[in-house]
Amino acid sequence: MPGVQNMTTYSEQFDNAIWTKILCSVSTNTVANPVNGAIDADSIIEGSTNNYHYWGRNITGDLENLFTASIYVKANGRNFLVLQIAGGTSLTLCFSLVDGSITGTPGVGYKAESVGNGWWRLSITTTGITNFQFYLSSTASINPTYQGDGVSGVYAWGAQVVRANWAGPYVKTEAAAVNTGAIRSIVT
């Protein structure tokens, strides 16, 4: 069966200029990632203002096909992360990094998978994509404006966007998109 591409370049390098950072900062290679234990997961730290604190990026997609965006995250002072895909059918969900529960309307699909040691693989699926963002949040809200403390945040690793209705196996990228290998369609 044919594979799909991880369309997210620099999927483990959130300090790269391709990733927009708004009122947050990135410290690289601070903790072990949840897949192979290498010390290459980043700390995303909120600023100390009363506003949104997020990182994200534009991506070349289309407005007609199903896309799934996913990321591995772990709480580091903030227990919630908002994932947002914009494009054909925009979708915004707030995930708890404690129990995997969500706030918001699920749309086509979502998944919060505990992968051990406090790490979660979060994913959302919707029709069409032009960009996606990850918002730090102090509460279970899809409108996460709050007073940051300048030290709290999350650990993050392994962002992926695929043209499919599920996240599929994670594949690291750098300067170019990478094929994920064989993938099958699953409707959840």
Side-chain angles (χ1 to χ4, degrees):
M1 191 172 264
V4 296
Q5 284 188 333
N6 180 357
M7 300 165 58
T8 309
T9 54
Y10 300 101
S11 62
E12 297 175 12
Q13 299 168 358
F14 299 118
D15 62 319
N16 189 284
I18 195 86
W19 290 93
T20 300
K21 285 137 318 256
I22 305 296
L23 301 177
C24 68
S25 61
V26 177
S27 293
T28 61
N29 306 329
T30 56
V31 297
N33 77 57
V35 174
N36 64 20
I39 307 296
D40 59 0
D42 294 345
S43 296
I44 311 296
I45 304 300
E46 66 194 27
S48 56
T49 59
N50 186 16
N51 210 321
Y52 295 103
H53 310 271
Y54 67 98
W55 78 107
R57 57 174 298 170
N58 292 330
I59 195 155
T60 302
D62 62 55
L63 300 180
E64 298 161 2
N65 289 296
L66 285 176
F67 290 87
T68 299
S70 65
I71 189 167
Y72 292 89
V73 291
K74 179 178 180 175
N76 181 24
R78 289 296 172 219
N79 291 329
F80 299 95
L81 189 75
V82 175
L83 275 69
Q84 180 181 69
I85 292 180
T89 304
S90 295
L91 178 62
T92 304
L93 294 176
C94 180
F95 289 87
S96 166
L97 302 181
V98 175
D99 63 11
S101 61
I102 68 153
T103 302
T105 304
V108 174
Y110 71 94
K111 187 172 186 179
E113 177 186 4
S114 176
V115 294
N117 196 29
W119 283 92
W120 294 86
R121 188 177 191 196
L122 308 178
S123 65
I124 57 176
T125 302
T126 193
T127 303
I129 189 169
T130 56
N131 63 63
F132 63 104
Q133 291 87 28
F134 307 105
Y135 291 82
L136 301 169
S137 185
S138 62
T139 63
S141 170
I142 61 170
N143 186 20
T145 299
Y146 66 95
Q147 178 66 51
D149 62 16
V151 296
S152 297
V154 298
Y155 299 117
W157 182 81
Q160 180 162 285
V161 171
V162 295
R163 184 178 288 128
N165 66 347
W166 72 303
Y170 171 70
V171 174
K172 177 182 179 175
T173 64
E174 292 189 3
V178 174
N179 190 308
T180 64
I183 192 169
R184 60 190 171 95
S185 178
I186 294 179
V187 177
T188 57

